[in-house]
Amino acid sequence: MSESGAILCEVGTTNRTRICDYERAIKDQTRLLLSVHPSNFRITGFTERPSLAELVALGSRTHLPVYEDLGSGCVVDLSGSGISEPVVGASCKAGASVVSFSGDKLLGGPQAGIIAGQKEIVERIRRNPLFRALRVDKLTIAALEATLKGYQRGSVDEIPTIRMIRLSLENVGRRAAQLIERIGSLVPEDVTVELRKGFSVIGGDQRPISSCRRSLLLLQVLASRP
């Protein structure tokens, strides 16, 4: 923003923002409507925020592009695994002019930033001199291509991140039991290794909640002390 000279105009309040707050903030100098999804934090209680559809409708009336920063890059519905994140395709279909998200995190590819949206706007971004300085290398592009092809084929379990997120409690338990068998003969006699139920957090800073709702089996190593 400093490089471009843009000025960020805050709208609404911390916990309550309506579409009319955006509308009142629009001036002759306004060039973009921005919405940032809170991937790694939540404001709970008495809250309100406009939907993407409302922002797109406002952008259409005022002839302003709408930019949504999704952060985590979720491209398949993971609600069945306890993750409630907006899906990139849904934002594009809703009419967002530009959508940005991570190539790693929930997408499960290499660390990168992805910009998608209307061709004209994306081409303008690409022409910025910073694009050459910040563009990713060939290895990153190859890894990202392999990841996206897995989604394209519908073989999401080929992607390690998605496969691990979708593991059932039974599968996690079997893996933990196999690990105990492998290390049981390696630990000293005064060390006990056993399975206990616990909670697990999916990494990558994409979850604002401190723990998953379902229990997972965790490996506990209990050593006796003199």
Side-chain angles (χ1 to χ4, degrees):
M1 289 182 63
S2 298
E3 180 68 22
S4 68
I7 298 174
L8 177 65
C9 179
E10 297 184 16
V11 297
T13 61
T14 301
N15 62 319
R16 296 184 69 192
T17 302
R18 299 186 176 95
I19 193 65
C20 60
D21 295 319
Y22 275 86
E23 195 165 8
R24 282 196 297 265
I26 294 175
K27 300 179 175 60
D28 292 339
Q29 298 84 1
T30 304
R31 293 294 179 267
L32 181 74
L33 301 180
L34 169 65
S35 175
V36 180
H37 175 67
S39 294
N40 54 5
F41 72 95
R42 288 287 185 272
I43 298 175
T44 60
F46 195 47
T47 64
E48 185 178 356
R49 61 178 295 164
S51 66
L52 179 59
E54 290 178 303
L55 286 173
V56 169
L58 177 60
S60 178
R61 294 197 305 271
T62 56
H63 306 289
L64 293 172
V66 176
Y67 166 36
E68 184 175 39
D69 180 12
L70 291 176
S72 63
C74 184
V75 296
V76 293
D77 184 6
L78 296 174
S79 57
S81 300
I83 296 178
S84 178
E85 285 287 303
V87 178
V88 173
S91 294
C92 293
K93 290 179 180 178
S97 307
V98 183
V99 178
S100 63
F101 51 96
S102 295
D104 52 325
K105 296 181 180 176
L106 287 181
L107 184 65
Q111 188 164 3
I114 300 175
I115 300 173
Q118 296 177 4
K119 183 177 180 180
E120 178 186 355
I121 296 178
V122 174
E123 286 294 334
R124 288 175 60 186
I125 296 171
R126 186 182 178 88
R127 288 195 296 270
N128 190 291
L130 281 177
F131 175 80
R132 184 172 181 84
L134 300 176
R135 66 182 180 182
V136 296
D137 59 19
K138 294 180 179 63
L139 291 177
T140 300
I141 292 175
L144 184 59
E145 180 184 19
T147 303
L148 294 177
K149 282 185 175 180
Y151 286 107
Q152 189 177 44
R153 291 191 300 270
S155 305
V156 294
D157 283 337
E158 292 180 3
I159 303 164
T161 299
I162 304 301
R163 183 173 65 250
M164 288 186 285
I165 288 175
R166 287 156 52 96
L167 280 176
S168 66
L169 181 64
E170 292 74 19
N171 283 333
V172 175
R174 282 195 296 269
R175 294 176 64 184
Q178 292 171 0
L179 179 59
I180 285 181
E181 289 181 4
R182 295 177 62 180
I183 67 174
S185 61
L186 303 177
V187 297
E189 293 181 357
D190 61 342
V191 174
T192 302
V193 184
E194 61 182 31
L195 285 176
R196 290 189 180 182
K197 289 186 177 181
F199 294 93
S200 177
V201 179
I202 297 169
D205 293 334
Q206 80 281 0
R207 288 215 50 172
I209 309 302
S210 60
S211 62
C212 297
R213 292 183 179 179
R214 60 176 182 170
S215 296
L216 297 178
L217 291 176
L218 300 180
L219 177 67
Q220 302 287 337
V221 180
L222 307 175
S224 61
R225 296 181 180 179

